[in-house]
Amino acid sequence: MTKDAAFDTVIVGAGVAGALIAKHLTDAGLTVLVLEAGPGTSRGLDDYTRHLERFHAASAKSPESPWPPAVGAPQPDTTALRDNDGYFVQRGPNPYGSSYTRLWGGSTLHWLGVSLRMLPEDFRMRSRHGVGRDWPLDYTALAPYYGRAEREIGVSADVADQSYLGVTFPEGYDYPMRRVPPSYADRVLAAAVDGMPVTLGDEEIAIRVRSYPAARNSIPRDGYRPAGAVDIRTDDGPSVPPRQGERCQGNTSCTPICPVQAKYHAGKTLAQADRRFLTVRVQAVASRILVDPASGAVRGIEYKRYDDPATAAHTTRIATGRTYILAAHAVENAKLMLASGLEGPRGQVGRTLMDHPALYAWGLAPLDIGAYRGPQSTSGIEDLRGGAFRARHAAFRFDVGNDGWRASTGAPDTAVSDAVMARNLFGPALRAQLGATLPRHVRLSLAVEQLPDPDNRVSIDPACLDPLGNPRPVIDYRIDDYTLAGMAAASDVARAVFRRAGVTDCTDPSKGSWFPSVFYRGREFRYHGMGHFAGTHAMGADPAGSVIDADQRAWEHRNLFLVGSGSFPTMGTSNPTLTLAALALRTADRLVEELAR
Amino acid sequence: MTGPADTSRLDGFVGLSALLTGFAPVQLLGTGMAAAYLAVLDAVLPEDIVGDLMSAYRQLPRGPERERAAEAEILGDPRLGPVARNLIVLWYCGAWTQLPAAWRAAFGASPLDTSRVVSAAAYQAGLQWLAAGAHAAGANPQGYGAWAIGPKSAGSSGLERGGA
């Protein structure tokens, strides 16, 4: 096996966490090798455009539709989750409903861009609410890194909207770009709903429709330069088309692909890294961590390099460095550890897998609200993310869609098909019917918190391998009563919101796109995943209850770091990217201090 | 090269499409998809069906009876109706839908008769987005902040265009 020259740091994964660390280490003059399992076809603008065309021509416009996997780096696929015949080996009892992408840029290529901070109480679930576990650091410790992460990934928001439920900002702080203008639909809903009281247990909470922070380029503040489209060409270096993607155009396609790259993806950070010190090796699938049995120190990372994404032919090599960082994804990090025989203290690697199981609610507004325009969503209902009720059931947040019933029923295509095939409409009557209904489509996503449960886990099985001979993730997953009760409460609030706003509730999971069922006290809920994989290598104050420390350093391997949302002890209700970015920047600081010594 | 016969055939196809979709011929031609959609029909269906569909269209009466006649003679016809409905969906969604099993059994199954988005361009040109006063997701965006402005029916309400 060939050994690569030693680097200061070897990073597994060219997603957001790996990219941020790579940028900060190379900025400090440290040499970094990034091993990316997938191809690098999102680096050049021409290739990126081919991904966009693939999306346009796809029949099922799933999150993965623009981003096909390589044979050597398979990935979960929303469609395959239905039949349990995809990359995941799902053992249930509930299907885990999320997917991710193995490609240069990672899943940020198709994320929505929601960049909420976690609430202070989210870090202290055990002390504050008696459930879950506490983080080894708190909001105050992470706050400066949140600020840095908001600049690094380019978040648009106004502080004036974001100070709620204990979230605080330093005097004079504001986000690097102004908030993305809320949609007309947001404003109509807000006019009806703002101030509406919601009762959860014995608490009464007033809710409102609130603009959320988004990693989508808006109008910059104070000379901030938004990062637009990336165009790295292997032969003649970076060449970024002037200004493209520096402002959101309202393509209504954050997921699965922003056509102009106005939404952040990890490739932007990689493009900013100092190329003198950075080596990115794509189509290089980490397969084993080589550890010194006596000291526990990592000696190298074995990886399989393939030339052709369409075949499994590969060669095996070893990358070496002073420190190693697994930034491959919550599932892939755990899988790689387990495949290397590294189960962590008390066998905790892969356990406490979480997501935000989410429901859709959809309805028909009394008037034209201009649906199917703008960023996929611009506002949410955030007031039920925190409160004393969390001792009894999950917190939740709503995302208010601007994309009609696309996610929930597949409209407008399905609406057309229904009108034409089932109702036999044609001509002016058809056009009028669609014109009178489509612009009134309202959709809420109800994303529900999930607690860490050791039985929810990623494991491996020597009988289940991918074409390169690497293990496929085996997933055990159950949605417990804490989350189910949260789903019930969220569903009731959604109904009340629709009633208050005069929206005709059309929520009917049997008419919606396929989603699995869960049952709670005689009610059926159809949920989907939010792509918020977390908890598989949780951080903690001591090795008894965690895999890594607050710096994301493995307790048992002192030159190994595991980063990403796998590090989260609990999930709260915020989309994990901003928090994992803040944690990555904090780890990068520690590494620079240590390696530069 | 398109000769006069092709042009007249395409004109007929656009006329039929206008009748079925409720969009004017100029709007249909403006999508740039008319010839491609006619080619889809020609490829997927036996030639006599396309010919019969066009001929049924040409024989429709003018005036107020026209729509009802189209309903009876085209959409209500067991052989032409499913094809006409597919054509409407093609224009609205840019997608061909596999014909019903009974139709395929009765009138001929083609290996090209599969449900699919016809092309990236067809997806972007879907009339459904126009009918909704919107734009195809991932294409033809309306520009920064346009989403904050109310739809035409709501009158002008342009708060926050250009920033908060």
PDB file of all heavy atoms in Angstrom, chain A residues 213-239:
ATOM      1  N   PRO A 213     -33.163  32.952  10.429  1.00  0.00           N
ATOM      2  CA  PRO A 213     -31.857  33.205   9.802  1.00  0.00           C
ATOM      3  C   PRO A 213     -31.604  32.165   8.711  1.00  0.00           C
ATOM      4  O   PRO A 213     -31.815  30.980   8.930  1.00  0.00           O
ATOM      5  CB  PRO A 213     -30.858  33.019  10.959  1.00  0.00           C
ATOM      6  CG  PRO A 213     -31.676  33.013  12.211  1.00  0.00           C
ATOM      7  CD  PRO A 213     -33.028  32.520  11.839  1.00  0.00           C
ATOM      8  N   ALA A 214     -31.167  32.626   7.549  1.00  0.00           N
ATOM      9  CA  ALA A 214     -30.961  31.718   6.420  1.00  0.00           C
ATOM     10  C   ALA A 214     -29.579  31.943   5.818  1.00  0.00           C
ATOM     11  O   ALA A 214     -29.149  33.087   5.647  1.00  0.00           O
ATOM     12  CB  ALA A 214     -32.033  31.950   5.358  1.00  0.00           C
ATOM     13  N   ALA A 215     -28.915  30.863   5.466  1.00  0.00           N
ATOM     14  CA  ALA A 215     -27.613  30.953   4.795  1.00  0.00           C
ATOM     15  C   ALA A 215     -27.838  31.143   3.305  1.00  0.00           C
ATOM     16  O   ALA A 215     -27.480  30.310   2.479  1.00  0.00           O
ATOM     17  CB  ALA A 215     -26.785  29.708   5.080  1.00  0.00           C
ATOM     18  N   ARG A 216     -28.541  32.238   3.000  1.00  0.00           N
ATOM     19  CA  ARG A 216     -28.807  32.612   1.605  1.00  0.00           C
ATOM     20  C   ARG A 216     -28.410  34.071   1.480  1.00  0.00           C
ATOM     21  O   ARG A 216     -28.740  34.881   2.345  1.00  0.00           O
ATOM     22  CB  ARG A 216     -30.300  32.477   1.277  1.00  0.00           C
ATOM     23  CG  ARG A 216     -30.870  31.123   1.560  1.00  0.00           C
ATOM     24  CD  ARG A 216     -32.385  31.108   1.290  1.00  0.00           C
ATOM     25  NE  ARG A 216     -32.961  29.905   1.849  1.00  0.00           N
ATOM     26  CZ  ARG A 216     -34.019  29.894   2.654  1.00  0.00           C
ATOM     27  NH1 ARG A 216     -34.651  31.019   2.971  1.00  0.00           N
ATOM     28  NH2 ARG A 216     -34.471  28.761   3.134  1.00  0.00           N
ATOM     29  N   ASN A 217     -27.749  34.383   0.396  1.00  0.00           N
ATOM     30  CA  ASN A 217     -27.219  35.735   0.277  1.00  0.00           C
ATOM     31  C   ASN A 217     -28.311  36.767   0.094  1.00  0.00           C
ATOM     32  O   ASN A 217     -29.198  36.640  -0.742  1.00  0.00           O
ATOM     33  CB  ASN A 217     -26.222  35.801  -0.869  1.00  0.00           C
ATOM     34  CG  ASN A 217     -24.933  35.060  -0.543  1.00  0.00           C
ATOM     35  OD1 ASN A 217     -24.575  34.948   0.637  1.00  0.00           O
ATOM     36  ND2 ASN A 217     -24.254  34.559  -1.560  1.00  0.00           N
ATOM     37  N   SER A 218     -28.198  37.813   0.948  1.00  0.00           N
ATOM     38  CA  SER A 218     -29.135  38.930   0.904  1.00  0.00           C
ATOM     39  C   SER A 218     -28.306  40.206   0.823  1.00  0.00           C
ATOM     40  O   SER A 218     -27.152  40.174   0.382  1.00  0.00           O
ATOM     41  CB  SER A 218     -30.013  38.851   2.160  1.00  0.00           C
ATOM     42  OG  SER A 218     -30.889  39.940   2.216  1.00  0.00           O
ATOM     43  N   ILE A 219     -28.874  41.313   1.272  1.00  0.00           N
ATOM     44  CA  ILE A 219     -28.135  42.581   1.191  1.00  0.00           C
ATOM     45  C   ILE A 219     -27.112  42.648   2.331  1.00  0.00           C
ATOM     46  O   ILE A 219     -27.468  42.517   3.490  1.00  0.00           O
ATOM     47  CB  ILE A 219     -29.115  43.763   1.267  1.00  0.00           C
ATOM     48  CG1 ILE A 219     -30.013  43.750   0.013  1.00  0.00           C
ATOM     49  CG2 ILE A 219     -28.364  45.078   1.381  1.00  0.00           C
ATOM     50  CD1 ILE A 219     -31.118  44.777   0.042  1.00  0.00           C
ATOM     51  N   PRO A 220     -25.817  42.796   1.981  1.00  0.00           N
ATOM     52  CA  PRO A 220     -24.791  42.744   3.027  1.00  0.00           C
ATOM     53  C   PRO A 220     -24.792  43.983   3.931  1.00  0.00           C
ATOM     54  O   PRO A 220     -25.190  45.068   3.520  1.00  0.00           O
ATOM     55  CB  PRO A 220     -23.487  42.661   2.233  1.00  0.00           C
ATOM     56  CG  PRO A 220     -23.801  43.165   0.870  1.00  0.00           C
ATOM     57  CD  PRO A 220     -25.259  42.935   0.633  1.00  0.00           C
ATOM     58  N   ARG A 221     -24.347  43.768   5.155  1.00  0.00           N
ATOM     59  CA  ARG A 221     -24.144  44.858   6.116  1.00  0.00           C
ATOM     60  C   ARG A 221     -22.642  45.162   6.190  1.00  0.00           C
ATOM     61  O   ARG A 221     -21.815  44.249   6.092  1.00  0.00           O
ATOM     62  CB  ARG A 221     -24.582  44.436   7.513  1.00  0.00           C
ATOM     63  CG  ARG A 221     -26.067  44.291   7.707  1.00  0.00           C
ATOM     64  CD  ARG A 221     -26.399  44.134   9.208  1.00  0.00           C
ATOM     65  NE  ARG A 221     -27.811  44.389   9.431  1.00  0.00           N
ATOM     66  CZ  ARG A 221     -28.726  43.426   9.520  1.00  0.00           C
ATOM     67  NH1 ARG A 221     -28.387  42.163   9.423  1.00  0.00           N
ATOM     68  NH2 ARG A 221     -29.999  43.743   9.709  1.00  0.00           N
ATOM     69  N   ASP A 222     -22.328  46.402   6.403  1.00  0.00           N
ATOM     70  CA  ASP A 222     -20.961  46.812   6.800  1.00  0.00           C
ATOM     71  C   ASP A 222     -19.854  46.231   5.931  1.00  0.00           C
ATOM     72  O   ASP A 222     -18.876  45.689   6.435  1.00  0.00           O
ATOM     73  CB  ASP A 222     -20.694  46.401   8.265  1.00  0.00           C
ATOM     74  CG  ASP A 222     -21.752  46.941   9.203  1.00  0.00           C
ATOM     75  OD1 ASP A 222     -22.299  48.025   8.904  1.00  0.00           O
ATOM     76  OD2 ASP A 222     -22.060  46.268  10.201  1.00  0.00           O
ATOM     77  N   GLY A 223     -20.013  46.304   4.639  1.00  0.00           N
ATOM     78  CA  GLY A 223     -18.928  45.885   3.760  1.00  0.00           C
ATOM     79  C   GLY A 223     -18.721  44.391   3.636  1.00  0.00           C
ATOM     80  O   GLY A 223     -17.750  43.945   3.042  1.00  0.00           O
ATOM     81  N   TYR A 224     -19.619  43.600   4.210  1.00  0.00           N
ATOM     82  CA  TYR A 224     -19.502  42.143   4.072  1.00  0.00           C
ATOM     83  C   TYR A 224     -19.682  41.763   2.612  1.00  0.00           C
ATOM     84  O   TYR A 224     -20.568  42.270   1.936  1.00  0.00           O
ATOM     85  CB  TYR A 224     -20.570  41.461   4.933  1.00  0.00           C
ATOM     86  CG  TYR A 224     -20.552  39.945   4.867  1.00  0.00           C
ATOM     87  CD1 TYR A 224     -19.677  39.214   5.649  1.00  0.00           C
ATOM     88  CD2 TYR A 224     -21.431  39.262   4.029  1.00  0.00           C
ATOM     89  CE1 TYR A 224     -19.659  37.821   5.591  1.00  0.00           C
ATOM     90  CE2 TYR A 224     -21.424  37.872   3.965  1.00  0.00           C
ATOM     91  CZ  TYR A 224     -20.533  37.156   4.753  1.00  0.00           C
ATOM     92  OH  TYR A 224     -20.531  35.786   4.698  1.00  0.00           O
ATOM     93  N   ARG A 225     -18.816  40.870   2.113  1.00  0.00           N
ATOM     94  CA  ARG A 225     -18.934  40.459   0.714  1.00  0.00           C
ATOM     95  C   ARG A 225     -19.543  39.061   0.657  1.00  0.00           C
ATOM     96  O   ARG A 225     -18.905  38.096   1.071  1.00  0.00           O
ATOM     97  CB  ARG A 225     -17.545  40.455   0.064  1.00  0.00           C
ATOM     98  CG  ARG A 225     -17.498  39.879  -1.353  1.00  0.00           C
ATOM     99  CD  ARG A 225     -17.904  40.902  -2.393  1.00  0.00           C
ATOM    100  NE  ARG A 225     -18.049  40.269  -3.709  1.00  0.00           N
ATOM    101  CZ  ARG A 225     -17.094  40.247  -4.636  1.00  0.00           C
ATOM    102  NH1 ARG A 225     -15.925  40.800  -4.405  1.00  0.00           N
ATOM    103  NH2 ARG A 225     -17.320  39.670  -5.809  1.00  0.00           N
ATOM    104  N   PRO A 226     -20.758  38.951   0.170  1.00  0.00           N
ATOM    105  CA  PRO A 226     -21.376  37.617   0.076  1.00  0.00           C
ATOM    106  C   PRO A 226     -20.558  36.717  -0.843  1.00  0.00           C
ATOM    107  O   PRO A 226     -20.010  37.182  -1.843  1.00  0.00           O
ATOM    108  CB  PRO A 226     -22.761  37.899  -0.535  1.00  0.00           C
ATOM    109  CG  PRO A 226     -22.991  39.370  -0.354  1.00  0.00           C
ATOM    110  CD  PRO A 226     -21.635  40.009  -0.363  1.00  0.00           C
ATOM    111  N   ALA A 227     -20.466  35.451  -0.487  1.00  0.00           N
ATOM    112  CA  ALA A 227     -19.753  34.485  -1.330  1.00  0.00           C
ATOM    113  C   ALA A 227     -20.728  33.900  -2.337  1.00  0.00           C
ATOM    114  O   ALA A 227     -21.735  33.312  -1.964  1.00  0.00           O
ATOM    115  CB  ALA A 227     -19.153  33.381  -0.472  1.00  0.00           C
ATOM    116  N   GLY A 228     -20.423  34.086  -3.607  1.00  0.00           N
ATOM    117  CA  GLY A 228     -21.310  33.598  -4.661  1.00  0.00           C
ATOM    118  C   GLY A 228     -20.871  32.247  -5.190  1.00  0.00           C
ATOM    119  O   GLY A 228     -20.312  31.421  -4.458  1.00  0.00           O
ATOM    120  N   ALA A 229     -21.119  32.049  -6.477  1.00  0.00           N
ATOM    121  CA  ALA A 229     -20.856  30.748  -7.103  1.00  0.00           C
ATOM    122  C   ALA A 229     -19.365  30.408  -7.078  1.00  0.00           C
ATOM    123  O   ALA A 229     -18.512  31.286  -7.106  1.00  0.00           O
ATOM    124  CB  ALA A 229     -21.363  30.760  -8.537  1.00  0.00           C
ATOM    125  N   VAL A 230     -19.101  29.124  -7.032  1.00  0.00           N
ATOM    126  CA  VAL A 230     -17.735  28.612  -7.027  1.00  0.00           C
ATOM    127  C   VAL A 230     -17.417  28.058  -8.404  1.00  0.00           C
ATOM    128  O   VAL A 230     -18.263  27.434  -9.037  1.00  0.00           O
ATOM    129  CB  VAL A 230     -17.636  27.478  -5.977  1.00  0.00           C
ATOM    130  CG1 VAL A 230     -16.344  26.701  -6.134  1.00  0.00           C
ATOM    131  CG2 VAL A 230     -17.762  28.051  -4.576  1.00  0.00           C
ATOM    132  N   ASP A 231     -16.209  28.326  -8.874  1.00  0.00           N
ATOM    133  CA  ASP A 231     -15.782  27.711 -10.133  1.00  0.00           C
ATOM    134  C   ASP A 231     -14.293  27.407 -10.047  1.00  0.00           C
ATOM    135  O   ASP A 231     -13.461  28.208 -10.429  1.00  0.00           O
ATOM    136  CB  ASP A 231     -16.091  28.646 -11.311  1.00  0.00           C
ATOM    137  CG  ASP A 231     -15.931  27.937 -12.650  1.00  0.00           C
ATOM    138  OD1 ASP A 231     -15.828  26.689 -12.652  1.00  0.00           O
ATOM    139  OD2 ASP A 231     -15.901  28.618 -13.684  1.00  0.00           O
ATOM    140  N   ILE A 232     -13.982  26.241  -9.508  1.00  0.00           N
ATOM    141  CA  ILE A 232     -12.583  25.838  -9.385  1.00  0.00           C
ATOM    142  C   ILE A 232     -12.243  24.967 -10.585  1.00  0.00           C
ATOM    143  O   ILE A 232     -12.899  23.975 -10.853  1.00  0.00           O
ATOM    144  CB  ILE A 232     -12.350  25.039  -8.091  1.00  0.00           C
ATOM    145  CG1 ILE A 232     -12.645  25.911  -6.882  1.00  0.00           C
ATOM    146  CG2 ILE A 232     -10.930  24.503  -8.042  1.00  0.00           C
ATOM    147  CD1 ILE A 232     -12.585  25.182  -5.560  1.00  0.00           C
ATOM    148  N   ARG A 233     -11.234  25.366 -11.310  1.00  0.00           N
ATOM    149  CA  ARG A 233     -10.791  24.556 -12.455  1.00  0.00           C
ATOM    150  C   ARG A 233      -9.433  23.985 -12.126  1.00  0.00           C
ATOM    151  O   ARG A 233      -8.549  24.699 -11.674  1.00  0.00           O
ATOM    152  CB  ARG A 233     -10.745  25.423 -13.706  1.00  0.00           C
ATOM    153  CG  ARG A 233     -12.141  25.944 -13.990  1.00  0.00           C
ATOM    154  CD  ARG A 233     -12.210  26.904 -15.131  1.00  0.00           C
ATOM    155  NE  ARG A 233     -13.552  27.486 -15.169  1.00  0.00           N
ATOM    156  CZ  ARG A 233     -13.956  28.324 -16.097  1.00  0.00           C
ATOM    157  NH1 ARG A 233     -13.127  28.684 -17.057  1.00  0.00           N
ATOM    158  NH2 ARG A 233     -15.172  28.809 -16.058  1.00  0.00           N
ATOM    159  N   THR A 234      -9.297  22.697 -12.328  1.00  0.00           N
ATOM    160  CA  THR A 234      -8.092  22.019 -11.854  1.00  0.00           C
ATOM    161  C   THR A 234      -6.826  22.584 -12.482  1.00  0.00           C
ATOM    162  O   THR A 234      -5.809  22.689 -11.824  1.00  0.00           O
ATOM    163  CB  THR A 234      -8.178  20.509 -12.130  1.00  0.00           C
ATOM    164  OG1 THR A 234      -8.709  20.342 -13.438  1.00  0.00           O
ATOM    165  CG2 THR A 234      -9.063  19.824 -11.122  1.00  0.00           C
ATOM    166  N   ASP A 235      -6.903  22.980 -13.759  1.00  0.00           N
ATOM    167  CA  ASP A 235      -5.654  23.393 -14.402  1.00  0.00           C
ATOM    168  C   ASP A 235      -5.273  24.855 -14.124  1.00  0.00           C
ATOM    169  O   ASP A 235      -4.138  25.142 -13.810  1.00  0.00           O
ATOM    170  CB  ASP A 235      -5.712  23.130 -15.912  1.00  0.00           C
ATOM    171  CG  ASP A 235      -7.063  23.483 -16.520  1.00  0.00           C
ATOM    172  OD1 ASP A 235      -7.943  23.941 -15.762  1.00  0.00           O
ATOM    173  OD2 ASP A 235      -7.230  23.301 -17.738  1.00  0.00           O
ATOM    174  N   ASP A 236      -6.237  25.752 -14.216  1.00  0.00           N
ATOM    175  CA  ASP A 236      -5.832  27.158 -14.115  1.00  0.00           C
ATOM    176  C   ASP A 236      -6.357  27.852 -12.853  1.00  0.00           C
ATOM    177  O   ASP A 236      -6.516  29.060 -12.819  1.00  0.00           O
ATOM    178  CB  ASP A 236      -6.229  27.920 -15.382  1.00  0.00           C
ATOM    179  CG  ASP A 236      -7.712  27.810 -15.664  1.00  0.00           C
ATOM    180  OD1 ASP A 236      -8.389  27.075 -14.925  1.00  0.00           O
ATOM    181  OD2 ASP A 236      -8.187  28.433 -16.604  1.00  0.00           O
ATOM    182  N   GLY A 237      -6.626  27.056 -11.829  1.00  0.00           N
ATOM    183  CA  GLY A 237      -6.945  27.670 -10.555  1.00  0.00           C
ATOM    184  C   GLY A 237      -8.351  28.212 -10.492  1.00  0.00           C
ATOM    185  O   GLY A 237      -9.134  28.053 -11.418  1.00  0.00           O
ATOM    186  N   PRO A 238      -8.679  28.849  -9.378  1.00  0.00           N
ATOM    187  CA  PRO A 238     -10.056  29.312  -9.186  1.00  0.00           C
ATOM    188  C   PRO A 238     -10.396  30.424 -10.168  1.00  0.00           C
ATOM    189  O   PRO A 238      -9.569  31.276 -10.473  1.00  0.00           O
ATOM    190  CB  PRO A 238     -10.079  29.823  -7.750  1.00  0.00           C
ATOM    191  CG  PRO A 238      -8.698  29.802  -7.240  1.00  0.00           C
ATOM    192  CD  PRO A 238      -7.804  29.213  -8.274  1.00  0.00           C
ATOM    193  N   SER A 239     -11.617  30.379 -10.654  1.00  0.00           N
ATOM    194  CA  SER A 239     -12.064  31.445 -11.524  1.00  0.00           C
ATOM    195  C   SER A 239     -13.550  31.605 -11.263  1.00  0.00           C
ATOM    196  O   SER A 239     -14.347  30.813 -11.722  1.00  0.00           O
ATOM    197  CB  SER A 239     -11.791  31.076 -12.977  1.00  0.00           C
ATOM    198  OG  SER A 239     -12.864  31.442 -13.802  1.00  0.00           O
TER     199      SER A 239
END
